[in-house]
Amino acid sequence: MTFEEKTLSEETIYKGKIIDLKRQEVTVKSGTSWREIIVHSGGAVVIAVTGPRKIAMIRQFRKPAEKVMFEVPAGKIDPGEEPVDAAIRELKEETGFTASSVRYLTRFYPTVGYSREVLYLYLMEGLTPGDTDFDENEAIDMEEWSIDDLHEMVMRGEIDDAKTIIAIEYANILVK
């Protein structure tokens, strides 16, 4: 039987703009231990269908990875915001598109070992182009890519962003 840890105490170690860091004392099979947990408001991830078997992809520099990452559009859910509203907002901000069809697909934990972050994945179709609305500190390039080419890139290990890998594989199955 799987042992479920119980929280005995919790303190906030760091309170930031994007994340908080909590330290918890928890029960474990052999007594007690400590956990450090990142608290994040979550994010919305978008499969933006731009044409037959094509989706929007973005490139942006990501400081934690120290490189330009190749990703599907995505972003943080603001406090009090519904995930679907964040997805619609992020699509517009990062690509300029608005969608006539928005479909929830799934949710997942990208780093369950130390973070409470949950990502919500949406399929958006019937796109209408418009102007982007980047955050003041964002520099993003948007490109349209064949899902077949993206799937092959995933299989060759050329895409290393987890949410993007998940989105591409969903797109490979769902998008005609």
Side-chain angles (χ1 to χ4, degrees), residues 28-144:
V28 293
K29 282 177 68 173
S30 61
T32 64
S33 188
W34 295 93
R35 302 286 183 251
E36 293 176 348
I37 299 171
I38 293 172
V39 179
H40 185 279
S41 61
V45 182
V46 177
I47 300 169
V49 180
T50 59
R53 303 263 318 146
K54 293 186 107 177
I55 63 173
M57 297 290 292
I58 63 168
R59 292 184 194 271
Q60 67 178 319
F61 182 82
R62 295 294 200 167
K63 188 62 180 167
E66 289 291 347
K67 67 179 187 174
V68 173
M69 296 295 290
F70 190 48
E71 307 172 61
V72 290
K76 186 173 80 65
I77 300 169
D78 291 333
E81 186 177 36
E82 291 297 319
V84 66
D85 296 328
I88 292 165
R89 175 180 49 76
E90 288 294 336
L91 177 69
K92 175 70 174 154
E93 285 178 8
E94 295 186 355
T95 69
F97 289 121
T98 54
S100 64
S101 171
V102 178
R103 179 176 154 202
Y104 169 78
L105 297 177
T106 193
R107 69 184 201 125
F108 56 93
Y109 293 90
T111 51
V112 72
Y114 58 86
S115 177
R116 289 186 186 159
E117 180 182 24
V118 176
L119 298 179
Y120 298 83
L121 179 62
Y122 293 88
L123 178 69
M124 297 199 186
E125 298 178 287
L127 302 183
T128 301
D131 294 329
T132 56
D133 185 21
F134 301 137
D135 291 341
E136 66 181 39
N137 59 355
E138 285 183 317
I140 296 173
D141 294 321
M142 196 272 292
E143 306 169 8
E144 293 181 49

